């Protein structure tokens, strides 16, 4: 029980008014003490320091209706009446009082009365409440439900509008990227041009995005050698357009381009300006162009190389020629025999030539063809290579011919090379 206290100016013992004031001290607003009737009094102290204990009947009266909130609709509440104005509650109280100066300080030791729930009606602003079961309460509920329905409709409309805006952005970007994107320049890696296993082959990329307005789809992703687009690796790549409609992410299926020594298993990002890139620390990027000169040049080069391969095939079949290895000795020819070989006079960096007219087996065939004047650098054709064996060794001195310097050699075996037919390009 909460201890309540009040002071008064009585002398012999606390009065009923003293006890009434002590009870009223902490009563909730709207509940008043209507009457106190002292039943029993005793001095539990002494004549010098009296401690007066009283037991009294108490009557409380509601000065206002007491209500409880049974429902809330925003700033409106629906109330239920618990006690009516003028209704009374009866109980008993036990107090202990001490004299302080000329006044009694009354403490409530025990208060036996029904528990009062609810709040005085006067605590609620006019117009902010209605009583349950009334049309006004039903109106509160209906207005609240209408408001919620309106908010939900507005939320759905906002979501739909946002989704439409996103779909429009994606559709616009899909229309912008639809077509074939091809590298304008070789692929870069960490600021430098990337080269493959041979340290000279550079990489290009081709991606063809289909028409459509969906956010995702499949596009062929081709990785190719820039100087030979026919040396390529094409895989299906899944793509997803970003929600802001400014880029598209492309992920190619895992695979490796052997010449370029590149493993496709990254998520690439293509922006509207054609920059395709991936990685953070190990950064790869290449500038692409859609349906432009880069595509035309790549396709034209691929066609030329295809036609060249067909012409080579026809020339090789015509003369029943093989494809020349790096050096003469790699052919392992028998003594005093000849053979037809197709030679591409684009020698590797490490090729050397030994001899003049007749050549040592350690000579590179492509570079020898240039030295002998059979083919110009960059030309190709079928040549006749003859291998002869002599009984004695002789020194063959080197010379400078056609921009190629040959070295001296001394051997029993000698190779000669002569043109059969050039490849017409």
């Amino acid at each position: 029980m909460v201890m309540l206290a009040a002071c008064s100016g009585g002398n012999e013992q606390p009065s009923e008014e003293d006890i009434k004031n002590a009870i009223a001290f902490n009563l909730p607003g709207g509940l008043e003490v209507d009457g106190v009737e002292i039943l029993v009094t005793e001095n539990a102290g002494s004549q010098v320091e009296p401690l007066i204990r009283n037991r009294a009947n108490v009557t409380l009266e509601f000065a206002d209706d007491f209500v409880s909130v049974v429902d809330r609709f925003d700033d409106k509440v629906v109330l239920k009446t618990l006690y009516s104005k003028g209704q009374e509650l009866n109980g008993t109280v036990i107090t202990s009082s001490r004299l302080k100066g000329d006044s009694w300080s009354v403490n409530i030791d025990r208060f036996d009365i029904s528990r009062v729930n609810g709040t005085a009606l006067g605590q609620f602003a006019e117009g902010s409440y209605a009583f349950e079961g009334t049309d006004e309460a039903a109106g509160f509920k209906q207005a609240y439900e209408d408001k919620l329905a309106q908010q939900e409709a507005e939320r759905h409309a906002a979501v739909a509008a946002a989704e439409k805006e996103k779909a429009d952005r994606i559709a616009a970007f899909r229309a912008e990227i639809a077509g074939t994107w091809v590298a304008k320049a070789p692929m870069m890696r960490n600021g430098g041009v990337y080269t493959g296993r041979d340290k000279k082959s550079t990489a290009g990329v081709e991606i063809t995005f289909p028409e459509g307005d969906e956010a995702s789809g499949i596009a062929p992703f081709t990785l190719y050698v820039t100087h030979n687009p026919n040396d390529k690796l094409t895989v299906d790549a899944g793509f997803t357009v970003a929600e802001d409609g400014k880029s598209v992410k492309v992920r190619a299926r895992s695979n490796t381009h052997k010449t370029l020594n590149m493993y496709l298993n990254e998520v690439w990002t293509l922006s509207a300006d054609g920059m395709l890139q991936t990685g953070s620390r190990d950064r790869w990027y290449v500038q692409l162009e859609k349906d432009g000169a880069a595509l035309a040049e790549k396709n034209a080069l691929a066609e030329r190389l295809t036609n060249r391969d067909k012409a080579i095939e026809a020339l090789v079949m015509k003369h029943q020629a093989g494809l020349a290895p790096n050096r003469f000795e790699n052919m392992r020819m028998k003594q005093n025999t000849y053979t037809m070989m197709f030679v591409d006079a684009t020698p590797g960096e490490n090729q050397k030539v030994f001899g003049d007219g007749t050549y040592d087996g350690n000579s590179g065939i492509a570079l020898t063809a240039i030295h002998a004047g059979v083919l110009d650098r960059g030309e190709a054709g079928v040549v006749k290579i003859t291998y002869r064996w002599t009984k004695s060794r002789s020194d063959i001195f080197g010379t400078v011919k056609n921009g190629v310097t040959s070295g001296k050699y001394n051997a029993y075996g000698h190779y000669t090379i002569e043109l059969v037919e050039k490849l017409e390009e």
Side-chain angles (χ1 to χ4, degrees), residues 135-178:
D135 291 343
E136 190 175 7
F140 285 174
K141 181 179 180 181
Q142 186 61 53
Y144 181 70
E145 290 176 348
D146 290 346
K147 178 182 177 181
L148 290 182
Q150 178 64 26
Q151 290 175 342
E152 185 66 10
E154 291 174 356
R155 187 186 70 82
H156 279 295
V159 170
E163 287 296 319
K164 185 178 184 305
E165 289 179 3
K166 182 177 76 172
D168 290 345
R169 290 194 300 269
I170 290 173
F173 191 73
R174 282 293 307 273
E176 188 175 351
I177 65 172

Side-chain angles (χ1 to χ4, degrees), residues 5-8 16-26 33 36:
C7 297
S8 72
E16 292 178 346
E17 188 67 22
D18 293 333
I19 296 173
K20 178 180 178 181
N21 291 337
I23 295 171
F25 188 74
N26 275 344
V33 181
V36 174

Side-chain angles (χ1 to χ4, degrees), residues 9 75 78 84 101 117 130 157 180-181 185 211 237 256 264 278 290 317 350 355 360-361 385 404 406 408-409 415:
D75 59 343
V78 177
S84 299
N117 297 314
T180 300
W181 294 76
E211 294 183 352
T256 302
L264 291 178
T278 188
K290 188 185 83 166
M317 291 183 64
N350 297 324
D360 181 57
I385 297 174
V404 178
S406 65
K408 171 187 174 183
Y409 80 97
Y415 292 86

Side-chain angles (χ1 to χ4, degrees), residues 226-230 296-312 423-425:
T226 54
H227 67 266
N228 181 11
N230 294 327
E297 292 171 5
K298 171 188 167 293
N299 289 343
L301 176 58
E303 184 178 3
R304 286 198 305 272
L305 294 176
T306 298
N307 293 336
R308 186 176 188 272
D309 289 341
K310 291 179 179 179
I312 291 173
L423 177 69
E424 297 296 333
E425 300 188 58

Side-chain angles (χ1 to χ4, degrees), residues 90-296:
N90 296 309
T92 59
V93 64
I94 296 175
T95 63
S96 58
S97 307
R98 295 179 185 276
L99 189 60
K100 293 186 177 181
D102 293 331
S103 301
W104 288 94
S105 176
V106 180
N107 290 318
I108 306 299
D109 296 335
R110 181 174 172 178
F111 195 12
D112 294 326
I113 199 166
S114 299
R115 180 183 178 88
V116 176
N117 297 314
T119 306
L121 181 61
Q123 299 295 318
F124 296 90
E126 191 69 29
S128 68
Y129 63 88
F131 287 96
E132 64 177 346
T134 64
D135 291 343
E136 190 175 7
F140 285 174
K141 181 179 180 181
Q142 186 61 53
Y144 181 70
E145 290 176 348
D146 290 346
K147 178 182 177 181
L148 290 182
Q150 178 64 26
Q151 290 175 342
E152 185 66 10
E154 291 174 356
R155 187 186 70 82
H156 279 295
V159 170
E163 287 296 319
K164 185 178 184 305
E165 289 179 3
K166 182 177 76 172
D168 290 345
R169 290 194 300 269
I170 290 173
F173 191 73
R174 282 293 307 273
E176 188 175 351
I177 65 172
T180 300
W181 294 76
V182 172
K184 293 178 65 176
M187 182 175 293
M188 307 289 285
R189 182 183 184 186
N190 298 327
V193 176
Y194 174 77
T195 56
R197 292 181 185 275
D198 58 7
K199 304 301 180 184
K200 64 180 181 181
S201 294
T202 56
V205 171
E206 177 180 310
I207 309 175
T208 300
F209 291 100
E211 294 183 352
D213 55 10
E214 299 85 0
S216 59
I218 300 295
F221 186 107
T222 300
L223 184 64
Y224 62 89
V225 177
T226 54
H227 67 266
N228 181 11
N230 294 327
D231 185 355
K232 61 185 179 180
L233 170 67
T234 300
V235 297
D236 286 335
F239 67 85
T240 302
V241 177
E243 291 189 0
D244 62 4
K246 294 181 179 180
S247 64
V248 57
K249 291 189 179 299
V250 183
R251 178 155 194 168
R253 294 181 179 177
S254 303
N255 220 318
T256 302
H257 191 294
K258 294 182 179 179
T259 304
L260 295 171
N261 193 30
M262 285 185 64
Y263 180 63
L264 291 178
N265 191 32
E266 300 288 343
V267 177
W268 298 78
T269 300
L270 176 68
S271 51
D273 61 1
M275 180 58 71
L276 180 71
Q277 55 189 318
T278 188
S280 52
R281 292 184 179 179
D282 188 18
R283 183 168 176 257
W284 300 71
Y285 54 96
V286 58
Q287 182 65 51
L288 306 185
E289 176 188 75
K290 188 185 83 166
D291 298 332
L295 175 61

Side-chain angles (χ1 to χ4, degrees), residues 65-72 77-84 116-121 124 129-132:
D65 292 337
F66 262 57
V67 295
S68 66
V69 176
V70 295
D71 219 338
R72 290 183 180 274
V77 293
V78 177
L79 304 177
K80 175 182 179 181
T81 300
L82 301 177
Y83 305 97
S84 299
V116 176
N117 297 314
T119 306
L121 181 61
F124 296 90
Y129 63 88
F131 287 96
E132 64 177 346

